[in-house]
Amino acid sequence: MNIAEIISKELNVEKWQVEAAIKLIDEGNTIPFIARYRKPVTGELNDEQLRELDERLTYLRNLDERRETIITSITEQEKMTPELLKAINEADTMVKLEDIYRPYKPKKKTRASIAKEKGLEPLADLMIKGEGSGDLNVEAKAFIDAEKGVDNVEDAIKGACDIIAENISDDAQFRNAIRNTVSKHGLIESKAKDDEAKTPYETYYDFNQDVSKIPGYRILAINRGEKEKVLSVSVEMPDDIIVTSMKKVVITKDNPYKNDIEVAVEDAYKRLIKPSIAREIRSELTTKAEDGAMGVFSKNLAQLLMQPPIDGKIVLGWDPAFRTGCKLAVVDATGKVLYTRVIYPTEPQNKVEESKKIVLDIVKKYGVNLISLGNGTASRESEAVIVDIIKECPTKLEYVIVNEAGASVYSASKLATEEFPEFDVGQRSAASMARRLQDPLAELVKIDPKSIGVGQYQHDMNQKKLEKTLSDVVEDCVNKVGVDLNTASVSLLEYVSGISKALAKNIVAYREENGSFSSRKELLKVAKLGPKAFEQCAGFMRIRDGKNALDFTSVHPESYDIAKKILVKYGFDAKDILKGNIQLKDKIDSFDDLAKEVDSDVITVKDIVNELEKPGRDPREDMPKPILKSNVLSMEDLSVGMKLKGTVRNIIDFGAFVDIGVHQDGLVHISELSDSYVKHPLDVVKLGDVVDVTVIGIDLQKNRIQLSMKR
């Protein structure tokens, strides 16, 4: 099968769809652009399918490249056979390919290669074939050669056994069979290096689980424990079963050299194969665990980025702290910072009354509707003060607790320094608290996705792969929402399809020099932004009050003529778009006929009609809004059986953490997520969901809350 056929089978889509997508990718089109504006070409493959296709395409092309290198190497060694070539061409993974290549791969000096240099390979062949006199001591005498370092019979036999052991180790069928056996019957085992030490890894001090059943989060935890020198980890294999099977294959029943070959087989397994297979199994488990964790991390990140913005609110960002005081920042409805201040309502100053008066004055002066409180150190103490302020405030005032993960990273970054040169890190953090409530996507794109804190063990993973995976998630989210070309920051623009960091800076520089963009076409005047980049980015850029009302929609400029024909046909004008009063679907008898009339395809026409009816629609509108609060609970206020509303803050393999407003997220174990069986928490909940929970357990000493979402 060629690459397109393989991917088609894996993704369960038609071969022509894969071929079309590959062609578009090779032409330099981005995944968001293909997913949104080339649906007719790919048969409506979505961004998730296209990402998977792109990943597999890269892997399979690398596999083919490696295959050609191996074929060339073996051919140059004059060792290629038709059977070997067939096996190489049929290898469908890197592991299988490298297994086949192992005997032909140039090696550093080994015991076997040294024995071959001493001329002992014929003796090894004789032993395996069971030829000669049947007396190994007699046969070995012929190979004694002091000049070559073979001083006696024992040296000759030992060298021949080393050659046999390496030949067995290099056999692809043996390695594959043993790998499969260990995958089915092996155990991952971990032991404590110090039984008395108190660490987060006590669960794994005397632990074992089947290789075939161990979940990814345990692999990552064990790996970290090993890295921190708390645990020693091994792969336990059914040694006796494996060695017995190997002997049956290698040694014929009537082989006179059976005893010596058995020693060589045992050596091949224990010295060469077992350690190698153990490394491979652990590497495979780690890769699988990382991929699973990245998948969860990606979905969590996407859900966090796609949380709905809170529009039209003047927000007071509150970055809580003890000794250095709580930093405040008032941000208007457009995200502009109006005022900053530091107050000291917490330990050690305890200036509660003074702080309350300052905040009430700020609320009155700037018309603050909402307080956005970070959930870090001193958050609980700050919340108590905020509740008192709300009670005393004559106008309606509410608060929301926001996850401040990554705020400190952003506040100390070069980007934050450029954005707020006159502010210190605390003031920047307070402004970020407010803005990430107003528009989570626009604010969170400024932070390294790994620092946002919605995954597990992210610092233990393949960082290059994690960075690419999370960057793809941010790119998909930004392009699903679209960006306002006249207000978007460099951080937001650089995730737009076809726009690099350099182009994003050029767009902002052009905007600062020439004023607001009046049309999408004006993008072509931006330095180094050519026709290809324009094609990729234009549909995702929005201009609210431009020359052409279609620039406010997600209709691509290449389809403007089609959109205009549709508008004219049903008695509308482009100016009606911004009024939001276009109704088309009830007037269209047949999309097939309409598509023919406007010289387009049904998929494109349907997308255009949807966009004309709801121009600039934000997909985040469908997500649950944050819970606005005006009172506070503590863990001491909880009791078993209490029913509460909460917000899903993090999702992991074994459950979900839910914020119920007591500064300690409660865990809904996977077994408590639903009355029916749940394969993975992401099948039931997503980040930001507002859910009904019941308290089923409280441990004040360990600061743990157990929750249930069962009826």
Side-chain angles (χ1 to χ4, degrees):
M1 286 193 292
N2 63 27
I3 286 177
E5 287 171 330
I6 293 168
I7 296 174
S8 155
K9 191 175 178 183
E10 289 176 353
L11 296 187
N12 195 27
V13 297
E14 297 296 326
K15 182 185 171 189
W16 68 264
Q17 292 178 281
V18 176
E19 288 173 336
I22 290 173
K23 186 172 185 293
L24 287 165
I25 290 167
D26 288 344
E27 287 171 354
N29 296 289
T30 69
I31 299 300
F33 176 79
I34 298 169
R36 179 68 183 82
Y37 296 111
R38 292 296 178 263
K39 291 178 186 178
V41 181
T42 67
E44 296 188 272
L45 292 179
N46 62 37
D47 52 3
E48 199 170 321
Q49 289 172 308
L50 288 164
R51 292 277 181 211
E52 193 174 347
L53 184 153
D54 189 31
E55 188 178 326
R56 288 297 291 154
L57 177 64
T58 302
Y59 178 88
L60 292 170
R61 281 179 168 172
N62 288 340
L63 184 68
D64 277 351
E65 194 177 312
R66 181 63 178 152
R67 196 191 319 275
E68 289 306 312
T69 301
I70 287 170
I71 289 171
T72 301
S73 173
I74 297 175
T75 303
E76 286 174 353
Q77 296 173 45
E78 298 183 353
K79 293 179 180 178
M80 184 61 76
T81 65
E83 295 78 20
L84 182 56
L85 183 60
K86 184 173 182 287
I88 291 170
N89 284 326
E90 288 177 355
D92 56 1
T93 66
M94 283 288 187
V95 171
K96 288 179 183 177
L97 198 55
E98 295 301 337
D99 275 354
I100 294 167
Y101 185 45
R102 183 179 284 271
Y104 309 95
K105 194 174 184 178
K107 293 184 177 75
K108 296 177 182 176
K109 276 206 168 187
T110 62
R111 280 164 45 174
S113 66
I114 293 168
K116 286 177 183 177
E117 288 171 7
K118 293 177 179 179
L120 296 171
E121 199 164 11
L123 179 59
D125 291 341
L126 177 145
M127 290 171 66
I128 286 294
K129 293 173 183 174
E131 297 172 348
S133 64
D135 186 333
L136 192 54
N137 288 325
V138 171
E139 299 299 334
K141 277 183 184 177
F143 294 89
I144 295 173
D145 186 339
E147 286 185 11
K148 290 183 178 179
V150 185
D151 296 326
N152 50 50
V153 167
E154 287 76 18
D155 284 351
I157 294 172
K158 187 174 181 303
C161 286
D162 285 341
I163 293 170
I164 292 169
E166 189 172 279
N167 288 345
I168 292 169
S169 171
D170 284 346
D171 189 291
Q173 290 183 322
F174 270 133
R175 297 185 76 86
N176 194 43
I178 293 167
R179 194 182 291 112
N180 288 339
T181 299
V182 178
S183 295
K184 290 175 185 174
H185 306 293
L187 293 173
I188 291 290
E189 192 171 273
S190 63
K191 301 280 185 187
K193 291 192 172 181
D194 178 2
D195 288 340
E196 304 300 317
K198 295 290 180 187
T199 74
Y201 308 105
E202 289 175 44
T203 305
Y204 303 105
Y205 277 10
D206 186 13
F207 172 85
N208 66 68
Q209 190 166 2
D210 293 351
V211 166
S212 60
K213 294 178 182 175
I214 189 164
Y217 69 88
R218 283 188 174 158
I219 288 292
L220 296 175
I222 286 169
N223 287 354
R224 182 182 281 185
E226 182 182 44
K227 188 178 179 181
E228 294 179 11
K229 297 185 168 48
V230 175
L231 303 174
S232 58
V233 186
S234 60
V235 181
E236 296 305 307
M237 309 181 189
D239 298 339
D240 293 342
I241 295 171
I242 293 171
V243 172
T244 301
S245 299
M246 289 172 67
K247 287 176 180 176
K248 283 180 182 176
V249 175
V250 174
I251 308 166
T252 55
K253 287 183 182 178
D254 55 354
N255 192 311
Y257 315 115
K258 178 182 176 182
N259 293 341
D260 291 280
I261 298 175
E262 282 184 344
V263 172
V265 171
E266 289 170 8
D267 179 50
Y269 174 67
K270 289 177 182 173
R271 178 171 62 89
L272 300 173
I273 298 175
K274 184 177 179 178
S276 174
I277 294 294
R279 285 193 297 272
E280 286 178 18
I281 292 290
R282 287 199 62 193
S283 175
E284 188 180 319
L285 286 172
T286 298
T287 299
K288 191 176 175 183
E290 286 183 353
D291 287 347
M294 283 183 205
V296 174
F297 198 160
S298 297
K299 285 186 170 64
N300 283 347
L301 178 62
Q303 290 160 9
L304 184 67
L305 294 173
M306 294 298 282
Q307 285 186 116
I310 292 185
D311 297 323
K313 298 278 188 183
I314 297 172
V315 180
L316 175 65
W318 186 309
D319 182 21
F322 285 114
R323 184 181 55 81
T324 56
C326 298
K327 290 79 180 175
L328 309 179
V330 179
V331 176
D332 73 9
T334 67
K336 181 183 177 183
V337 179
L338 304 176
Y339 178 76
T340 65
R341 181 73 185 257
V342 181
I343 57 173
Y344 300 90
T346 55
E347 296 282 354
Q349 289 92 337
N350 285 321
K351 296 178 181 177
V352 177
E353 293 306 317
E354 177 188 293
S355 299
K356 283 161 62 175
K357 185 179 183 306
I358 291 169
V359 173
L360 284 166
D361 287 343
I362 290 171
V363 169
K364 183 180 179 181
K365 182 176 179 181
Y366 294 99
V368 173
N369 317 112
L370 196 55
I371 297 174
S372 179
L373 171 65
N375 66 344
T377 306
S379 178
R380 181 171 182 152
E381 291 76 9
S382 295
E383 187 178 11
V385 176
I386 289 170
V387 170
D388 283 345
I389 290 168
I390 289 172
K391 287 174 183 174
E392 296 176 25
C393 186
T395 57
K396 186 178 180 182
L397 181 64
E398 295 172 302
Y399 74 97
V400 177
I401 297 175
V402 296
N403 188 337
E404 64 179 50
S408 57
V409 175
Y410 161 72
S411 302
S413 69
K414 183 183 176 186
L415 175 63
T417 305
E418 291 170 355
E419 193 172 6
F420 299 116
E422 73 281 14
F423 289 177
D424 62 26
V425 291
Q427 291 169 305
R428 293 171 195 154
S429 184
S432 181
M433 289 302 100
R435 285 177 164 187
R436 65 172 61 188
L437 184 63
Q438 289 179 319
D439 191 340
L441 180 61
E443 192 63 22
L444 291 171
V445 291
K446 300 173 185 175
I447 302 165
D448 178 354
K450 297 195 296 292
S451 303
I452 293 177
V454 287
Q456 271 192 308
Y457 305 106
Q458 54 262 41
H459 301 296
D460 301 325
M461 297 179 197
N462 180 320
Q463 294 301 295
K464 190 175 179 183
K465 188 173 181 182
L466 179 64
E467 188 176 331
K468 168 78 167 60
T469 302
L470 299 183
S471 179
D472 288 347
V473 170
V474 180
E475 183 182 29
D476 286 340
C477 290
V478 169
N479 289 287
K480 275 177 186 169
V481 173
V483 303
D484 186 324
L485 183 53
N486 286 320
T487 61
S489 65
V490 170
S491 304
L492 198 56
L493 287 167
E494 68 182 87
Y495 283 107
V496 172
S497 167
I499 300 298
S500 63
K501 194 178 190 86
L503 279 180
K505 287 180 177 177
N506 290 351
I507 290 170
V508 172
Y510 179 91
R511 195 171 68 200
E512 288 173 352
E513 187 177 336
N514 300 283
S516 297
F517 285 87
S518 59
S519 74
R520 281 170 168 166
K521 282 185 180 177
E522 201 177 340
L523 277 165
L524 289 165
K525 295 180 181 178
V526 172
K528 298 182 180 178
L529 200 156
K532 186 66 178 181
F534 178 79
E535 177 193 48
Q536 300 298 303
C537 77
F540 304 105
M541 303 288 201
R542 308 274 188 273
I543 300 174
R544 184 173 292 274
D545 299 311
K547 294 176 182 176
N548 188 340
L550 286 167
D551 284 348
F552 180 58
T553 72
S554 67
V555 176
H556 197 282
E558 67 187 10
S559 299
Y560 278 7
D561 286 345
I562 299 167
K564 287 172 184 174
K565 286 177 186 175
I566 293 170
L567 287 169
V568 170
K569 177 176 173 63
Y570 295 102
F572 292 104
D573 186 88
K575 292 175 183 176
D576 293 316
I577 292 171
L578 296 179
K579 297 174 186 174
N581 61 357
I582 294 177
Q583 297 296 321
L584 291 168
K585 285 177 189 166
D586 293 341
K587 300 181 179 184
I588 298 171
D589 297 321
S590 167
F591 274 99
D592 289 306
D593 292 342
L594 178 59
K596 287 175 188 172
E597 189 177 333
V598 297
D599 194 22
S600 185
D601 58 88
V602 173
I603 295 170
T604 301
V605 167
K606 282 184 176 179
D607 278 351
I608 290 172
V609 167
N610 286 334
E611 190 59 28
L612 292 175
E613 288 196 334
K614 290 188 175 180
R617 182 183 171 275
D618 191 334
R620 296 175 294 176
E621 291 170 5
D622 299 332
M623 300 288 283
K625 302 279 184 186
I627 300 174
L628 305 183
K629 301 169 66 180
S630 58
N631 212 332
V632 64
L633 282 174
S634 68
M635 274 188 73
E636 287 76 8
D637 297 324
L638 299 178
S639 60
V640 172
M642 186 179 280
K643 297 187 183 298
L644 301 160
K645 278 198 180 294
T647 304
V648 178
R649 293 294 184 205
N650 199 5
I651 299 169
I652 49 179
D653 285 331
F654 55 84
F657 285 99
V658 176
D659 176 5
I660 53 173
V662 296
H663 288 284
Q664 178 58 49
D665 292 348
L667 173 66
V668 184
H669 189 267
I670 190 169
S671 61
E672 294 291 336
L673 281 168
S674 172
D675 292 299
S676 52
Y677 171 73
V678 176
K679 187 175 181 182
H680 194 281
L682 281 165
D683 297 335
V684 180
V685 290
K686 57 184 182 293
L687 224 66
D689 273 357
V690 176
V691 294
D692 292 306
V693 293
T694 303
V695 179
I696 59 172
I698 308 158
D699 188 332
L700 293 173
Q701 282 190 324
K702 292 184 177 178
N703 226 27
R704 289 179 183 169
I705 305 165
Q706 292 169 275
L707 303 172
S708 175
M709 284 171 52
K710 289 182 175 179
R711 293 177 198 161

